[in-house]
């Protein structure tokens, strides 16, 4: 949600930002019919940090399996839709470092054995201590404008390639 208008950021049209502040993998699963209804050309999925922050979430396996459930269902119902799964970003709090790495490893392993594509945002935003680079976030979790510019720069070639191959 904090990314606001991705069309403006990429200099294109036709992008719908479906991000919701505080969302979880269960929330995305509950709303998948809304996404599927519009048959998008591509989906860029980044979800999971709120699940990790939620002490009631059963496990990292639960989070990773929910993420995989989302992309499998989209692929099943929209086989022509390209799916780009983005790794969970690091955060400042070291308590969450291992959980983020665990979920990212599970989804990266699955994606490497499938037709989906992974966009490794984690490696772009992580510092040498395994935390969010301070200059890219205003609170250690949420990106600031500079952080969004880094994200856009990293993903822009993929987005432009989709736009130019209509």
């Amino acid at each position: 949600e904090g990314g606001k208008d991705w069309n403006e950021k990429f200099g294109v049209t036709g992008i719908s930002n479906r991000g919701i502040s505080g969302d979880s993998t269960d929330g995305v699963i509950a709303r998948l019919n809304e996404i599927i209804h519009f048959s998008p050309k591509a989906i860029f999925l980044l979800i999971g940090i709120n699940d990790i922050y939620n002490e009631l979430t059963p496990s990292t396996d639960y989070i990773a399996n929910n993420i995989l459930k989302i992309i499998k269902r989209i692929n099943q119902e929209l086989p022509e839709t390209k799916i780009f799964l983005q790794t969970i970003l690091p955060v400042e709090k070291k308590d969450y470092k291992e959980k983020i790495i665990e979920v990212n490893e599970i989804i990266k392993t699955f994606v490497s054995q499938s037709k989906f594509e992974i966009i490794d945002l984690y490696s772009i935003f992580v510092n040498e201590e395994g935390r969010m680079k301070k200059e890219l976030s205003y609170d250690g979790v949420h990106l600031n404008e500079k952080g969004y510019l880094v994200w856009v720069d990293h993903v822009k070639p993929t987005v432009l390639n989709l736009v130019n191959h209509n």
Side-chain angles (χ1 to χ4, degrees):
E1 186 174 6
K4 298 187 176 85
D5 187 352
W6 290 97
N7 291 293
E8 184 180 310
K9 285 178 172 33
F10 288 111
V12 299
T13 58
I15 297 174
S16 294
N17 183 356
R18 302 290 295 168
I20 297 173
S21 182
D23 205 3
S24 67
T25 56
D26 287 325
V28 173
I29 289 169
R31 289 189 317 283
L32 264 181
N33 286 339
E34 295 173 28
I35 307 298
I36 290 167
H37 171 76
F38 289 101
S39 298
K41 181 176 185 176
I43 292 176
F44 289 76
L45 180 65
L46 173 58
I47 191 74
I49 194 60
N50 292 320
D51 296 82
I52 289 171
Y53 269 59
N54 184 347
E55 300 298 323
L56 300 176
T57 302
S59 67
T60 53
D61 281 336
Y62 178 87
I63 299 165
N65 287 331
N66 268 1
I67 294 169
L68 299 178
K69 190 184 297 183
I70 292 165
I71 64 171
K72 288 176 187 174
R73 178 150 171 238
I74 293 167
N75 184 61
Q76 181 180 16
E77 297 197 34
L78 300 171
E80 299 301 312
T81 297
K82 293 186 185 311
I83 300 170
F84 299 92
L85 183 55
Q86 300 172 99
T87 54
I88 300 171
L89 299 172
V91 295
E92 175 59 30
K93 288 185 178 180
K94 65 181 178 188
D95 303 355
Y96 300 106
K97 177 184 168 187
E98 292 307 316
K99 288 181 178 181
I100 292 170
I101 290 171
E102 283 176 33
V103 173
N104 283 340
E105 288 305 314
I106 294 168
I107 64 175
K108 282 168 34 178
T109 299
F110 175 81
V111 169
S112 71
Q113 302 164 358
S114 68
K115 69 175 202 147
F116 310 113
E117 290 188 46
I118 196 93
I119 296 176
D120 188 5
L121 293 179
Y122 180 87
S123 64
I124 304 298
F125 287 89
V126 71
N127 67 17
E128 57 285 338
E129 298 167 347
R131 299 180 182 179
M132 171 72 76
K133 292 178 181 174
K134 288 186 187 302
E135 69 273 13
L136 302 179
S137 173
Y138 64 86
D139 64 358
V141 178
H142 300 95
L143 298 179
N144 58 24
E145 202 52 43
K146 185 175 181 183
Y148 279 110
L149 288 175
V150 168
W151 188 354
V152 168
D153 284 346
H154 188 65
V155 177
K156 194 169 196 168
T158 304
V159 170
L160 295 181
N161 188 43
L162 286 167
V163 172
N164 294 329
H165 288 94
N166 276 335

